[in-house]
Amino acid sequence: MLNGFTSIFNLLNARLSRRIALWVFISIVVVEALILLPSAYRRERELIQHLEDVGVASISPLLRLCGSQITAPKIHQVAQQLMLESRVEGGHVYTEEGEAIAYFGEVPELNFNHVKNSPSVRFRSRDGNRYEMSMWTEAQGKPYLVIVRLDSSQISQEIKAFIIRIFGLVILICIFVTLATLAALAPAVIAPILKLRKALIAVGESPGAFTGDLDCLALAKNRRDELGEVLIDFNRMNHQINRYFKEIQESKKELENLVAEVESARDQSEKLLLNILPYTIAQQLKQGVYPIAESFPNATVLFADLVGFTQLSTEVPAVEVVELLNKIFSIFDQLAQQYAVEKIKTIGDAYMVVGGVPQPHPDCTQAIAQMALDMQREVRQLAAETGIPLTIRIGINNGPVVAGVIGIKKFIYDLWGDTVNTASRMESHGIPGQIQVSEVTYFLLRDRFQFESRGTINVKGKGMMKTYLLLGWKDEPTAELKLTTSSSIGSVDAASGIHGP
């Protein structure tokens, strides 16, 4: 029994149970109130009727006991004797014509004028403690009107006691019916609903975690009502959710793998694109800017060619030729990255690089000149190490260029303009092992580098031009100058977004 009360107490902790208990309790109270009010009213009428009967029984012999002389003193005397043993508190006697003969005890509020046209009049005071009634009686063949004032205080007390008894009984009935209702609904409705709610919360918080039947579904066994069908449908829904969740998880894993593959492919394509095009140009292409063409008022263009490499390729196995060329151009690529200049392309055994394009450079002419000297030194060193007669011819020119990407296949960032053509002629008309520059480049570098005038030469397509051979620095760069140059190159590298291999 104790466990039963404990279970009911636990059920009352649920909002659903409290709501059911409240409405059952209120419903019973309302029903009992509808019954109590008429009952209290009937009980009050019964008590009043009994009081009237007592009043009639007490006052009826009043005039008869007065004898043959009905006078005020006599009435008063007899009334005093009658009042001692009754609930009569006072009264008034009138003749048929309305003449007041006598009064006794408390004076009634009713008078002859109130009752002369009515056979019977009743009146109750505001506090309910006094009740007045009128009645006609005969004495010695004459009718008299008697108005009696009665003590009705006991009626109010009895009605209050009656209401308290009934109300207490109603409360007991309400409590019993409420508990009985909860006890009946608990295993049949409330407990399954609460467990179903708990299961729904669990499935919502951890979808796919419950693979079997949930605890609440044990309640659905042997049930043939709608709630049992709901529990069964929930079980079916949970199995479907688990299946869909597993499918989603598998699809998610496949999608994650696919995304990883796509990201890996994108990274590879990004690296490949940056190996083909400058960073800023690659970004423009990805944003849909096409074709790309920009003018640059001042750029430094360098062409380099390995002298006699074509003849060498006929004498050395092809694989060795490719490996040697790859080694040389890889060194050139590292130098281009070091000096923050842009490699444009290779044409056979020729190498093209530009400074100041597509990103500005603090001193692209000096950077190209330094790279040319390093290229010359690296080729000589490689020739000494391998014993292969390698010689490089380099040409440099300064001026405006147009740069961009054109075509629809095999994109390449290229340069156009007379400056490019002149730089190519500086290389093709140069001297093997030397760096030939145009007069424009010479004027830009003459304060920092040593030159040897070559004089005026006939350049194809250009006519007679004065050219110079770059020999090296006037004075070997100090540590401070090298540090400044390295810092400038690094800042340009970071600003342009150029990344090493």
Side-chain angles (χ1 to χ4, degrees):
M1 185 174 182
L2 180 61
N3 294 332
F5 283 113
T6 303
S7 300
I8 293 176
F9 179 76
N10 292 332
L11 281 175
L12 289 176
N13 289 330
R15 294 190 300 272
L16 177 62
S17 300
R18 293 199 299 269
R19 182 170 294 181
I20 292 175
L22 178 62
W23 281 109
V24 170
F25 189 87
I26 292 176
S27 300
I28 297 175
V29 169
V30 171
V31 171
E32 292 295 339
L34 294 177
I35 297 174
L36 174 62
L37 291 178
S39 299
Y41 179 75
R42 284 197 304 272
R43 180 59 179 165
E44 184 181 28
R45 297 310 308 163
E46 290 175 357
L47 293 174
I48 291 176
Q49 183 62 46
H50 176 69
L51 181 63
E52 290 182 357
D53 293 342
V54 171
V56 171
S58 300
I59 298 302
S60 294
L62 174 64
L63 296 180
R64 290 197 304 271
L65 293 176
C66 289
S68 59
Q69 294 181 356
I70 301 177
T71 61
K74 192 66 174 176
I75 293 175
H76 188 270
Q77 179 183 359
V78 174
Q80 291 294 327
Q81 295 176 354
L82 294 175
M83 289 170 58
L84 294 175
E85 300 178 357
S86 68
R87 299 170 65 179
V88 177
E89 296 293 329
H92 218 151
V93 180
Y94 295 90
T95 63
E96 184 180 12
E97 292 78 16
E99 179 185 356
I101 299 176
Y103 69 89
F104 53 90
E106 297 180 7
V107 179
E109 295 185 25
L110 290 177
N111 54 46
F112 183 82
N113 294 328
H114 292 139
V115 300
K116 65 180 179 179
N117 296 324
S118 300
S120 177
V121 176
R122 303 292 184 267
F123 171 77
R124 194 173 183 182
S125 63
R126 292 180 181 275
D127 56 10
N129 293 328
R130 294 293 182 265
Y131 183 82
E132 300 179 3
M133 56 178 291
S134 63
M135 60 181 181
W136 289 91
T137 183
E138 291 185 1
Q140 300 178 0
K142 294 181 180 181
Y144 291 91
L145 175 66
V146 180
I147 298 177
V148 183
R149 186 175 179 87
L150 303 172
D151 180 10
S152 62
S153 59
Q154 293 183 356
I155 294 178
S156 300
Q157 296 175 0
E158 291 186 16
I159 291 299
K160 290 179 181 178
F162 175 80
I163 292 176
I164 291 174
R165 289 195 302 272
I166 297 300
F167 184 76
L169 181 61
V170 168
I171 294 298
L172 293 177
I173 293 174
C174 290
I175 294 175
F176 175 78
V177 173
T178 301
L179 295 178
T181 302
L182 287 178
L185 292 179
V189 178
I190 299 176
I193 291 177
L194 294 179
K195 288 191 175 183
L196 178 60
R197 174 180 174 272
K198 184 178 179 180
L200 285 170
I201 294 174
V203 172
E205 292 178 348
S206 303
F210 299 92
T211 56
D213 292 344
L214 299 174
D215 292 339
C216 68
L217 299 174
L219 300 171
K221 295 181 179 179
N222 301 323
R223 293 186 68 117
R224 299 181 181 274
D225 55 10
E226 290 78 3
L227 183 56
E229 294 175 357
V230 169
L231 295 174
I232 294 173
D233 291 338
F234 173 75
N235 184 42
R236 187 181 301 112
M237 180 194 70
N238 182 49
H239 285 297
Q240 292 178 352
I241 289 175
N242 291 333
R243 186 175 71 253
Y244 294 152
F245 185 78
K246 290 180 180 179
E247 294 176 357
I248 291 173
Q249 291 295 100
E250 294 174 357
S251 300
K252 181 180 178 182
K253 290 181 180 178
E254 294 178 358
L255 182 60
E256 289 176 351
N257 294 334
L258 182 59
V259 170
E261 293 177 0
V262 170
E263 290 180 350
S264 177
R266 184 190 62 187
D267 292 340
Q268 292 178 1
S269 63
E270 183 83 8
K271 292 179 181 178
L272 181 60
L273 187 62
L274 292 177
N275 281 333
I276 297 174
L277 299 172
Y279 177 80
T280 56
I281 303 304
Q283 294 302 314
Q284 292 183 56
L285 282 177
K286 288 194 294 184
Q287 294 172 4
V289 179
Y290 186 80
I292 299 174
E294 296 178 275
S295 297
F296 298 89
N298 183 28
T300 306
V301 183
L302 178 150
F303 278 91
D305 184 65
L306 294 173
V307 180
F309 196 84
T310 302
Q311 179 63 30
L312 178 63
S313 63
T314 62
E315 301 173 356
V316 179
V319 175
E320 295 182 11
V321 171
V322 173
E323 291 178 352
L324 178 61
L325 193 61
N326 178 65
K327 186 174 183 179
I328 295 171
F329 284 175
S330 296
I331 294 173
F332 292 172
D333 289 343
Q334 293 175 359
L335 292 173
Q337 180 180 351
Q338 175 183 346
Y339 291 108
V341 295
E342 192 68 40
K343 172 188 174 181
I344 299 302
K345 59 185 174 181
T346 59
I347 307 170
D349 57 359
Y351 191 91
M352 179 182 178
V353 69
V354 64
V357 177
Q359 292 295 327
H361 194 289
D363 193 343
C364 61
T365 307
Q366 176 177 311
I368 288 292
Q370 288 177 301
M371 180 177 175
L373 292 171
D374 288 348
M375 292 168 68
Q376 191 181 60
R377 185 186 68 253
E378 291 290 343
V379 171
R380 289 172 182 169
Q381 183 177 345
L382 187 60
E385 293 175 356
T386 60
I388 300 175
L390 294 174
T391 305
I392 190 171
R393 184 173 57 236
I394 300 175
I396 303 174
N397 183 39
N398 279 74
V401 297
V402 175
V405 178
I406 59 175
I408 58 176
K409 289 184 177 181
K410 297 181 180 180
F411 290 140
I412 184 173
Y413 187 67
D414 209 348
L415 305 178
W416 300 276
D418 184 66
T419 300
V420 179
N421 295 332
T422 301
S424 178
R425 295 292 186 269
M426 290 297 100
E427 178 272 317
S428 61
H429 290 70
I431 302 172
Q434 297 294 329
I435 303 171
Q436 181 169 255
V437 303
S438 65
E439 190 173 15
V440 176
T441 304
Y442 165 74
F443 281 116
L444 293 173
L445 296 175
R446 62 182 179 178
D447 294 334
R448 290 168 283 178
F449 291 85
Q450 295 180 12
F451 290 92
E452 179 184 329
S453 176
R454 192 182 175 193
T456 302
I457 63 173
N458 186 19
V459 178
K460 181 181 178 181
K462 300 295 295 183
M464 302 303 293
M465 293 186 66
K466 192 173 184 179
T467 63
Y468 298 83
L469 299 179
L470 174 62
L471 303 179
W473 285 86
K474 282 189 173 182
D475 297 311
E476 186 66 22
T478 63
E480 181 180 356
L481 179 59
K482 290 182 178 179
L483 180 61
T484 303
T485 303
S486 177
S487 300
S488 300
I489 291 172
S491 63
V492 174
D493 191 8
S496 61
I498 300 174
H499 305 282

